[in-house]
Amino acid sequence: MSAKTNRSRVTETKTALRARAGKIIAILKKTYPDAKCSLTYMTPHQLLVATILSAQCTDERVNMVTPRLFKKYRSVADFAGANMKELEDDIRSTGFFHNKARAIIGSAQIILDKYNGQMPRTLGEMVALPGVGRKTGSAVLGEAFGIAEGIVVDTHVRRISNKLGFTKQSDPIKIERDLMEIIPHDDWIKFTHLMIDHGRAICIARRPNCKFCPLAKLCPSAETK
């Protein structure tokens, strides 16, 4: 990156940063009009289970496991009463199956007992569930209920947000804080899906295709020569 680009990233005001972010989001919406969650689910609780399973695992693998899983465990009560060892075997291929099974059963028990089987709808309540952090809670609230209490920061969001100069942080909580200051609230949910699609299609971690990137003129990290 040139010295000129470095200076521009340092001196860019919040107002200018918000304006550039708005232009980038508009371009991404046109480029990826169908950007959405890639996990398959039918109910908010199924989404929670799928999101827990997606930790350190690809969505593709999760989507291979959940059809049979959701056919076997049809309700929150079914998951709450599941046998730990049996559930571990059912989700083994997603990795970290012991912790995931414990989180799935524990969260289902609380949802059943404390919320009468209905998913809580605040981030504070979500992160109080076993195995549910801010990322998972925000993802479920945004996707299932359209509630934007935060921005989901996954590996794509973290990497591309740094490339775009939206943040200089590496910690997901600090990245989210920076993004929430410049991304319009109405776009908090969509932003993550746009970043994921862009990261998979063009801004690939090991070989970003800057030459064909629609954001090249707005990205301080673009290498088009």
Side-chain angles (χ1 to χ4, degrees):
M1 187 182 299
S2 68
K4 180 180 179 180
T5 302
N6 270 319
R7 287 196 300 272
S8 68
R9 290 184 65 172
V10 171
T11 61
E12 189 172 21
T13 66
K14 273 290 171 58
T15 299
L17 193 53
R18 291 190 184 104
R20 185 162 63 85
K23 293 177 182 178
I24 286 171
I25 291 171
I27 292 171
L28 291 176
K29 284 180 177 179
K30 291 181 179 179
T31 307
Y32 311 103
D34 299 320
K36 61 182 180 180
C37 176
S38 57
L39 293 171
T40 56
Y41 67 96
M42 293 295 292
T43 68
H45 182 254
Q46 286 185 355
L47 176 61
L48 173 61
V49 172
T51 305
I52 290 173
L53 293 177
S54 70
Q56 302 298 312
C57 181
T58 65
D59 289 356
E60 182 181 9
R61 166 56 60 181
V62 173
N63 288 338
M64 293 172 64
V65 171
T66 50
R68 182 179 297 179
L69 189 70
F70 294 154
K71 186 175 182 180
K72 181 176 181 179
Y73 305 95
R74 295 180 177 273
S75 66
V76 175
D78 287 344
F79 277 107
N83 175 273
M84 179 71 74
K85 180 63 169 62
E86 191 173 342
L87 181 57
E88 287 179 355
D89 290 340
D90 293 332
I91 64 173
R92 185 175 296 271
S93 65
T94 68
F96 301 95
F97 53 87
H98 179 67
N99 289 338
K100 290 178 181 180
R102 185 169 53 189
I104 289 169
I105 293 175
S107 60
Q109 289 173 342
I110 292 176
I111 292 169
L112 187 64
D113 296 340
K114 186 174 182 179
Y115 301 104
N116 197 31
Q118 301 300 309
M119 288 285 292
R121 299 197 181 191
T122 70
L123 190 55
E125 292 171 322
M126 288 293 294
V127 299
L129 298 174
V132 178
R134 186 175 179 89
K135 175 184 172 183
T136 297
S138 292
V140 174
L141 288 176
E143 177 66 20
F145 303 114
I147 299 173
E149 285 202 39
I151 296 176
V152 177
V153 178
D154 78 334
T155 55
H156 293 289
V157 174
R158 180 170 67 246
R159 177 173 55 81
I160 299 174
S161 291
N162 268 275
K163 283 184 173 295
L164 290 171
F166 289 167
T167 182
K168 296 180 181 178
Q169 304 295 335
S170 58
D171 178 74
I173 298 297
K174 294 179 180 179
I175 292 173
E176 182 184 19
R177 189 181 303 130
D178 286 346
L179 293 176
M180 289 168 69
E181 290 185 0
I182 63 172
I183 304 301
H185 185 265
D186 288 347
D187 290 320
W188 283 7
I189 298 171
K190 190 74 170 179
F191 179 77
T192 297
H193 300 317
L194 294 171
M195 290 287 101
I196 291 172
D197 279 9
H198 190 57
R200 289 172 175 169
I202 294 178
C203 195
I204 302 167
R206 294 183 180 180
R207 45 184 177 83
N209 196 351
C210 298
K211 184 177 179 180
F212 297 99
C213 181
L215 306 180
K217 292 182 179 180
L218 295 169
C219 178
S221 302
E223 298 179 4
T224 56
K225 293 183 179 180

